[in-house]
Amino acid sequence: MAGRKSVCCGFSALEVTLTVLFIVMTTICVTLITLMVTWKTQTGPEPIVPPTTAPHHKPYLIGVGRADCTGPPAEIPLMGYANPQQTAAGIHTRLYSRAFIIDDGRRRIVFVTADVGMISQRLRLEVLQALQVKYGDLYRQDNVVLSGTHTHCGPAGYFQYTLFMISGKGYIKASIEPLVNGIVKSIDIAHANMKPGRIYRSRGELDDSSLNRSPQSYLNNPEDERHRYKWNTDKQVLVLKFTDLDGDGIGMLSWFAVHAVSMNYTNRMVSSDNMGYASYLMEQDKNPGELPGQGGFVAGFSSSNLGDVSPNTRGPYCVNTGLPCNYLNSSCPVGGTKMCQAFGPGDDMFDSTRIIGHNVYRKAKELYANSDEEVTGFLHSAHQWVNMANVTVQINNTHTVRTCKPALGHSFAAGTTDGGGDLNFTQGAVEGDPFWDGIRDAILGEPSNQTQECHHPKPILFSTGEMNWPLPWHPEIVDVQILTIGSVAVVAVPGEMTTMSGRRLREAVKQELESEGAFRDSEVVIAGLSNVYTHYITTYEEYQVQRYEGASTIYGPHTLSAYLQKYRGLARAIAQDKVSELPLGPQPPFFQKNLFNLLPAASLDRKPKNSSFGDVLQQVYPVYRQGDVVSVTFVAGNPRHSGDIRDKTFVTVEIYDNRTDTWEVVHTDASWETRFHWLKGSNRESNSTVEWHIPPSAPSGSYRIRHFGHYKEMKGLRPVITPYEGTSDVFRVAASFYYQ
């Protein structure tokens, strides 16, 4: 066996190595400790870094989307004025759904504002069903709000309750399908475009764009309450600005309380009215070079507590005499309520729509540009279904009151100064009329004593809560819902709240949100015409006057008190983070049977002898100047035969490009500058007239107008639908008629 190597002093090499390492490590530790003590002594306490002036908050995920939801622009009643003669016959501007999705990493919310008279319960339920199929439980009744802009010029036919089906010629699939598909598509686009971004809020006031159309009712509110406010309408405009992380704008959402009735009841073209025009202007501004409905920036202008607020700022007068209307009942000595009409600031309804829409757009654009208060914090959504026909309200320590089964009063039939009724009803009626009551009793039955007492002092014209054939005439189960985005609370209201009703609701929700300390400096906004339509919501005091708004408050005098109680409960649950403990409430019905359609099928089309569909009947002139109106008329088919017209157009205005030898589309039927009129003539012959109101900015050059459509004819024993198109002669736009 070989002998071991030896080292001095009898230690092995391993022992020596370990001893050296121990000494070295000990020396290093002592040195480090000495240095740390010396450094602490010399430098003192660690300096405090001052916070930045703009703390960097965690961004949201944000998606925005816009989609065409225009329905058939022919023969279907327009929803809003309940005027049976006001059936669609063309397009002024197209209707769009605009969706905004926000996600904070824990929760997600969706807000949709659509160019529609109001969201019906049926429309909401069908949208939620479609979202369930696509996304499962991601988008639900508790985190999705659908709100209507309240245009009175969109196709009806999307309701499941009898009263609305009668006025809208039934439940019309061709009308509701574009709305459902358009709303869902706008959500699809927003969902696909979600990216990190930031939200900013800004608030201002807009005057000269609204007028209280029932000041008599407003004055019945307590004097001390009225003295807290400068005006008898809400003038505030709230803007939410959406940007990406680079600060580039991707969208805007705005609320302002005014009726979208600048287009009056004589109009027969589909139109998004003043709020739609505000969206149009903002989107054209932010999407330069794009056609209407295109471009990434989405601008939503949503309705608010507009119940008693009119855009017809010149007020009402008797159109047959020029004299003022009766102050109390808004009628005229000759012609009654129909002759008492309010007018907007413009020369006609198109001009008034332009002025009001531009005012709203201008203020929103200003607020958008100056938005620097960032919205941060968690998202919340709270929702319940409520049987509004049976709510008990505790009004003080000893007394309770109840809501009523739905009913409409006599003054409902009088209409408003924005569109009066045809019969001899007047606003402010607190007593019935024996003649009309007798007809009602004979045809529909007399209201029960209980319902009459519950609605007092409303004289009941239609006791809709007691009318259930072939389906209930009015909803009883309604949605109440609140979304919060940081300190901003969006209160989704299922109807038209008056100015003071909205103020009371905003105040109540703000109190509850801030009571627990979780919310500070909260901004509460009413989103009107949301989720289900229940007509109007006045204060108890306004209800006593029984003008149109009070007569249309269908759940009785304590309707607002019931809503205040319910929305307080939602806000309290959000503030205490107990939303999950809220009971869902009774689910609304989804009727499968007894839905009816009173709209006949579109008839076959015929054309004049020796002509074809698309031929020009009235040709353009050779030359026009900026500011002129170009008009051309074509042999046409019924626009209903074009089926789903979303993302299509009946009209193009095209300019010739000399460089490329091609025609470029500069306007469609979605453009403000074009008007598409359809005229149904005798013997099933139709024609379409296209107008182009040449803007001052139109470049000089060669233009043409094209019209697209479909006609239906019999081939053998079956009807066949065939597309057609027509083209005008080429014409010039020039600064002067005298040109080389």
Side-chain angles (χ1 to χ4, degrees), residues 57 79 149 154 160 256 304 326 351 373 519 540 579 604 719 733:
H57 299 286
M79 184 65 202
T149 61
Q160 66 174 1
F256 178 62
S304 195
N326 180 286
D351 196 33
E373 183 179 352
F519 287 79
Y540 175 84
V579 172
L604 300 173
V733 172

Side-chain angles (χ1 to χ4, degrees), residues 215-542:
Q216 309 89 330
S217 300
Y218 182 87
L219 288 172
N220 213 42
N221 290 306
E223 184 177 5
D224 59 339
E225 181 180 37
R226 287 186 281 111
H227 284 170
R228 292 167 50 196
Y229 303 98
K230 184 177 179 181
W231 294 288
N232 61 3
T233 63
D234 281 339
K235 306 293 186 181
Q236 66 260 29
V237 178
L238 176 66
V239 164
L240 295 183
K241 174 182 180 179
F242 300 87
T243 74
D244 60 20
L245 292 185
D246 294 328
D248 295 326
I250 59 175
M252 186 210 72
L253 193 50
S254 173
W255 289 268
F256 178 62
V258 69
H259 256 79
V261 292
S262 291
M263 299 293 289
N264 64 41
Y265 64 87
T266 66
N267 168 58
R268 294 186 60 195
M269 289 185 290
V270 169
S271 174
S272 58
D273 211 290
N274 47 39
M275 300 304 274
Y277 184 52
S279 289
Y280 174 92
L281 289 172
M282 192 73 176
E283 289 176 348
Q284 289 291 99
D285 182 57
K286 296 297 182 179
N287 298 310
E290 298 281 1
L291 290 170
Q294 299 179 10
F297 189 93
V298 178
F301 285 78
S302 182
S303 62
S304 195
N305 54 317
L306 49 67
D308 52 359
V309 188
S310 170
N312 295 315
T313 52
R314 283 196 284 161
Y317 61 87
C318 296
V319 294
N320 51 351
T321 65
L323 298 174
C325 305
N326 180 286
Y327 176 75
L328 293 177
N329 61 28
S330 299
S331 66
C332 299
V334 178
T337 56
K338 194 71 174 179
M339 289 294 107
C340 178
Q341 298 176 21
F343 290 86
D347 296 332
D348 56 27
M349 61 181 171
F350 299 99
D351 196 33
S352 292
T353 302
R354 179 189 62 79
I355 292 170
I356 298 297
H358 189 271
N359 289 350
V360 177
Y361 150 74
R362 187 181 66 243
K363 174 54 69 172
K365 182 181 178 181
E366 171 195 320
L367 294 172
Y368 177 91
N370 296 322
S371 295
D372 57 4
E373 183 179 352
E374 187 172 359
V375 177
T376 60
F378 291 119
L379 306 177
H380 297 274
S381 60
H383 171 277
Q384 282 183 305
W385 287 301
V386 177
N387 183 351
M388 276 299 294
N390 186 27
V391 178
T392 300
V393 183
Q394 189 82 36
I395 56 172
N396 55 41
N397 291 332
T398 58
H399 288 78
T400 60
V401 293
R402 297 181 70 86
T403 55
C404 315
K405 289 184 176 182
L408 291 162
H410 275 244
S411 295
F412 162 76
T416 72
T417 55
D418 293 327
D422 288 311
L423 303 173
N424 64 334
F425 293 92
T426 57
Q427 295 197 68
V430 291
E431 293 182 359
D433 182 291
F435 175 76
W436 292 113
D437 288 348
I439 292 177
R440 173 205 62 201
D441 296 347
I443 299 175
L444 303 173
E446 185 179 1
S448 68
N449 290 335
Q450 180 183 3
T451 299
Q452 292 188 65
E453 292 169 4
C454 188
H455 279 271
H456 182 79
K458 176 195 293 178
I460 294 175
L461 181 62
F462 300 122
S463 185
T464 53
E466 299 174 316
M467 298 158 62
N468 296 295
W469 185 87
L471 287 168
W473 282 49
H474 263 147
E476 292 189 351
I477 310 302
V478 307
D479 300 70
V480 291
Q481 188 175 12
I482 298 177
L483 304 178
T484 63
I485 310 160
S487 59
V488 177
V490 180
V491 183
V493 173
E496 305 180 51
M497 277 198 161
T498 60
T499 299
M500 194 63 84
S501 291
R503 289 168 175 170
R504 292 183 189 178
L505 179 59
R506 288 199 304 265
E507 186 175 29
V509 169
K510 184 179 177 71
Q511 278 181 354
E512 292 294 342
L513 287 176
E514 297 182 353
S515 62
E516 301 291 325
F519 287 79
R520 291 182 299 173
D521 189 29
S522 55
E523 181 77 53
V524 182
V525 64
I526 306 292
L529 292 307
S530 296
N531 299 334
V532 54
Y533 185 59
T534 63
H535 295 266
Y536 284 73
I537 303 156
T538 64
T539 67
Y540 175 84
E541 295 84 358
E542 291 165 348

